[in-house]
């Protein structure tokens, strides 16, 4: 069997390009890549009352509402200029939840879906966040904010699934990062 890395460095062959994603082929492997952003961030935010800040929004690809950590794209808004990851993490937290954090602690970078996309997600921990506005998203986003006590978050998530909601894997990654980081 030929090692697929033998052709590393070869240019991607475009298959189709939309406003936000491009489908490309590299060494016979087809995958999606972003065309309008420099990265993705996810924010694992907790309040002073030891609650995990989660968001709920409808996601057309799965046809239902999904529970997620606040997350978004880096550099997708031309008005943001040369926005870095930390700035994007702060912006997404505020836009989606209305919360602000004193500091964003880098917690790791993980592959989101290795068979489907070249995307990686930079995770940030935001502890003792405080509410500054209502959140809810921007543009057409209709985000519901949930502050779930940490001592019941896993059972709360099981109930969400039982009620037909999806749970994004970044939530579980975030819980593990909180457990591992003092």
């Amino acid at each position: 069997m030929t090692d697929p890395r033998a052709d590393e460095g070869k240019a991607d062959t475009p298959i189709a390009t939309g406003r936000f994603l491009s489908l490309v082929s590299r060494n016979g492997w087809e995958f999606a890549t972003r065309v309008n952003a420099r990265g993705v961030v996810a924010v694992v935010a907790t309040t002073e009352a030891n609650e995990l800040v989660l968001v709920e929004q409808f996601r057309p690809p799965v046809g239902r509402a999904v529970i997620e950590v606040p997350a978004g794209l880096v550099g997708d808004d031309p008005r943001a200029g040369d926005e870095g990851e930390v700035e994007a993490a702060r912006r997404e937290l505020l836009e989606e939840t209305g919360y602000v954090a004193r500091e964003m602690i880098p917690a790791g970078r993980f592959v989101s879906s290795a068979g489907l996309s070249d995307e990686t997600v930079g995770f940030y921990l935001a502890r003792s966040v405080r509410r500054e506005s209502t959140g809810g998203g921007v543009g057409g986003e209709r985000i519901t904010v949930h502050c779930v006590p940490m001592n019941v978050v896993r059972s709360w998530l099981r109930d969400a699934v039982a009620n037909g909601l999806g749970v994004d894997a970044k939530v579980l990654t975030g819980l593990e990062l909180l457990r591992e980081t003092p």
Side-chain angles (χ1 to χ4, degrees):
M1 181 169 181
T2 305
D3 185 340
R5 293 172 292 186
D7 288 330
E8 279 184 11
K10 287 192 175 179
D12 295 339
T13 303
I15 298 170
T17 300
R19 286 186 324 158
F20 303 105
L21 295 172
S22 181
L23 182 61
V24 299
S25 176
R26 181 184 301 153
N27 193 30
W29 192 276
E30 296 173 351
F31 61 94
T33 189
R34 295 224 183 249
V35 296
N36 69 331
R38 293 186 305 278
V40 178
V41 292
V43 182
V44 185
T46 54
T47 67
E48 294 235 351
N50 201 29
E51 300 164 311
L52 181 62
V53 180
L54 297 170
V55 296
E56 175 185 335
Q57 61 183 314
F58 183 80
R59 294 299 195 172
V62 294
R64 62 183 162 158
V66 177
I67 301 296
E68 307 171 349
V69 295
L73 301 174
V74 180
D76 64 326
D77 184 349
R79 297 170 298 183
D82 193 24
E83 176 182 61
E85 277 200 358
V86 171
E87 293 81 12
R90 288 184 185 285
R91 176 181 49 77
E92 290 292 343
L93 179 63
L94 180 61
E95 286 175 358
E96 293 189 1
T97 70
Y99 280 88
V100 295
R102 284 187 311 243
E103 69 177 324
M104 288 285 176
I105 302 164
R109 175 165 298 285
F110 302 96
V111 175
S112 63
S113 183
L116 178 66
S117 175
D118 62 354
E119 181 173 274
T120 61
V121 180
F123 278 77
Y124 289 83
L125 301 181
R127 298 187 192 266
S128 298
V129 297
R130 68 172 168 40
R131 194 103 196 226
E132 189 173 279
S133 68
T134 58
V138 295
E141 294 177 323
R142 293 189 330 222
I143 295 172
T144 302
V145 179
H146 299 281
C147 293
V148 182
M150 288 298 294
N151 63 336
V152 299
V153 72
R154 289 189 187 276
S155 63
W156 188 92
L157 291 168
R158 281 192 296 275
D159 289 346
V161 170
N163 288 317
L165 297 172
V167 174
D168 188 278
K170 290 186 289 299
V171 173
L172 302 176
T173 301
L175 287 171
E176 184 63 18
L177 290 169
L178 284 173
R179 192 176 70 75
E180 291 182 355
T181 308

